[in-house]
Amino acid sequence: MNILLLGSGGREHALAWAVKQNPKCDRLIVAPGNAGIAQIAECAALDIENGGAVAAFCDENAIDFVIIGPEAPLAAGVADRLRDAGILCFGPSAAAARLEASKSFTKEICDAAHAPTAGYGHFTDAEAAKAYIRAEGAPIVVKADGLAAGKGVIVAMTEDEALAAVDDMFSGAFGGAGAEVVIEEFMDGEEASFFVLCDGEDVLPIGTAQDHKRVGEGDTGPNTGGMGAYSPAPVLTDALAEKALAEIVRPTMAEMAKRGTPYQGVLYVGLMIQDGQPRLVEYNVRFGDPECQVLMMRLGAQALDLMHACAEGRLSDARVNWAADHAMTVVIAANGYPGAYEKGSVIKGLDDLAETSFEMCFHAGTSEKDGCIVASGGRVLNVTARGTSLREARDRAYAMAEAIDWPDGFYRSDIGWRAL
Ligand code: AMP
Ligand code: GLY
């Protein structure tokens, strides 16, 4: 099989690493990729949000299967364009990708599917939004409706903070994404992420994870794209996962199919768990980053078979082979992240790291310059390891982090603290 993978982050390096191990993969091209991905696959420059350009590239390169990593090409309809051209593709249509691209759409689907989630209001003008906040009181959560690269959610502990967030959103702080806002009841509890494949009809769970969104030790400081993750998530017991499938995931998938927009791809189900009851926080229409890194470390080569079965609508026959293992990934970010940071500093020590089925350093934001690996993003490396216990996985991951010589980067030393 000739495979094209779209994306350039740690998520895509992990996907490429898993796919490459599967003997069914003859050729793997990643667009645009990064310096780490370039060590294991061909990289190609391509405008991945342009469905026509991606379809033409597939034609020229005899691509049999396309895996779409990030949400932006999905929301832009790249999967639709590929399917129209008869190209097998893993990832939802633009209509189904609204489960991530529009928070009010997701809330409306949850209402129709009777899926437990936070109570909410949906507003297109600031005054009505503020009246709702004053009536409900704080804590309360203000969300830009559209895609805002993970930054459009303000968990406001005071009413003033919530009112200010409404002003920010309607004055364009999040661009078009904030032209509409959803205001939600604050949910208390422990968060966990649940990953399922859906082929439009059948649903197959492929793992659980927990991430650390805050930049600082002890889960403090500003939100980031994620500073580390581990799998499985102990809080998401088999019984809770079954409950989430029965009450949230399957009814959502049935509602999408009923509307003529069946969902096909991986669904990232963000849950809040309190008193044995899961409630939906959000859906994402792609793998999490860095959650994907720990899932791929645990699934290995079978990830390709699972994504392929999903794309071909064969999930009812697919099985996941679980090992009783644990994985952890620690994000190494550029000093200053998630605020302003420098690019271009040289990272040393990468060549000496072991690359085995138990430990891999996935690249998230790197490029190659004059034979050196240099930082080119905020989140730069993901040291990822697996073990028979979470502690063993953690020790391996942190040993890798310590072996990397990059004074311009930092990482949290407490990933997994809750579970450990
Ligand atoms: P989202 O992009 O919707 O996942 O929101 C980002 C983060 O904000 C989530 O991972 C939660 O930590 C937090 N969050 C979102 N909605 C709520 C809510 N209704 N109650 C409490 N926390 C929330
Ligand atoms: N790590 C959170 C996300 O990928 O959305």
Side-chain angles (χ1 to χ4, degrees):
M1 212 175 346
N2 293 335
I3 299 167
L4 172 65
L5 166 63
L6 303 184
S8 63
R11 167 180 51 210
E12 286 75 22
H13 191 179
L15 286 167
W17 175 80
V19 162
K20 273 290 280 197
Q21 291 172 44
N22 191 310
K24 294 190 192 89
C25 173
D26 295 309
R27 184 177 178 205
L28 175 63
I29 307 179
V30 185
N34 64 35
I37 295 172
Q39 292 169 355
I40 60 167
E42 295 169 56
C43 291
L46 181 61
D47 176 1
I48 65 167
E49 290 177 38
N50 179 337
V54 176
F57 183 91
C58 290
D59 221 29
E60 286 154 23
N61 291 280
I63 296 296
D64 303 298
F65 184 37
V66 181
I67 299 168
I68 304 182
E71 64 277 17
L74 295 166
V78 171
D80 305 74
R81 182 71 182 72
L82 292 173
R83 289 196 189 101
D84 287 348
I87 300 163
L88 189 68
C89 165
F90 178 78
S93 65
R98 291 186 74 206
L99 284 177
E100 176 167 357
S102 168
K103 303 223 184 256
S104 58
F105 175 77
T106 298
K107 297 305 268 189
E108 188 217 313
I109 292 282
C110 284
D111 285 346
H114 305 293
T117 181
Y120 76 107
H122 171 214
F123 304 95
T124 52
D125 79 275
E127 281 323 306
K130 287 181 178 176
Y132 183 84
I133 289 169
R134 289 195 187 97
E136 297 291 321
I140 195 159
V141 183
V142 181
K143 301 185 173 187
D145 186 74
L147 290 180
K151 298 192 183 81
V153 174
I154 310 293
V155 180
M157 286 301 156
T158 64
E159 206 171 291
D160 284 346
E161 217 183 318
L163 296 172
V166 167
D167 281 330
D168 279 353
M169 288 189 189
F170 283 108
S171 64
F174 300 101
E180 298 183 26
V181 305
V182 167
I183 301 181
E184 271 186 18
E185 165 197 357
F186 173 81
M187 292 188 285
D188 222 347
E190 192 168 352
E191 278 188 86
S193 307
F194 188 27
F195 293 87
V196 296
L197 298 182
C198 310
D199 64 6
E201 213 171 312
D202 288 296
V203 167
L204 180 70
I206 57 163
T208 64
Q210 264 169 305
D211 79 344
H212 294 265
K213 287 207 167 78
R214 305 297 191 107
V215 73
E217 308 277 321
D219 295 320
T220 56
N223 262 323
T224 70
M227 292 302 291
Y230 51 96
S231 171
V235 60
L236 208 53
T237 59
D238 288 350
L240 271 174
E242 197 41 60
K243 204 168 161 73
L245 280 177
E247 295 179 4
I248 301 173
V249 180
R250 287 201 186 95
T252 301
M253 293 297 101
E255 181 64 26
M256 294 300 285
K258 191 174 109 191
R259 293 180 180 213
T261 53
Y263 187 94
Q264 186 263 67
V266 62
L267 187 68
Y268 167 146
V269 185
L271 297 170
M272 189 70 82
I273 295 154
Q274 191 182 32
D275 302 331
Q277 177 63 48
R279 288 205 281 170
L280 183 76
V281 177
E282 61 164 348
Y283 285 127
N284 292 309
V285 300
R286 48 167 177 86
F287 284 105
D289 188 345
E291 293 91 332
C292 185
Q293 288 78 318
V294 284
L295 292 178
M296 290 305 125
M297 181 68 29
R298 294 186 64 211
L299 290 170
Q302 66 179 318
L304 174 61
D305 299 318
L306 294 169
M307 291 188 282
H308 193 238
C310 178
E312 289 192 328
R314 294 186 281 107
L315 277 186
S316 60
D317 301 328
R319 293 286 168 274
V320 184
N321 291 311
W322 295 111
D325 58 359
H326 297 257
M328 181 179 290
T329 187
V330 177
V331 172
I332 309 184
N335 289 338
Y337 174 82
Y341 54 83
E342 303 278 329
K343 291 185 184 177
S345 56
V346 174
I347 304 165
K348 292 187 199 139
L350 295 172
D351 289 341
D352 302 328
L353 296 179
E355 296 192 350
T356 69
S357 62
F358 286 93
E359 52 206 321
M360 268 298 295
C361 175
F362 296 121
H363 291 217
T366 62
S367 43
E368 201 235 272
K369 199 174 168 220
D370 306 327
C372 296
I373 302 288
V374 300
S376 60
R379 292 188 295 172
V380 174
L381 298 167
N382 310 141
V383 286
T384 310
R386 157 166 99 86
T388 51
S389 66
L390 187 59
R391 196 166 290 279
E392 189 177 67
R394 182 193 60 177
D395 291 347
R396 282 198 176 116
Y398 277 108
M400 295 171 85
E402 278 157 28
I404 294 170
D405 176 10
W406 184 39
D408 298 283
F410 75 99
Y411 53 86
R412 276 182 59 170
S413 65
D414 64 345
I415 300 304
W417 65 270
R418 220 183 277 273
L420 288 162

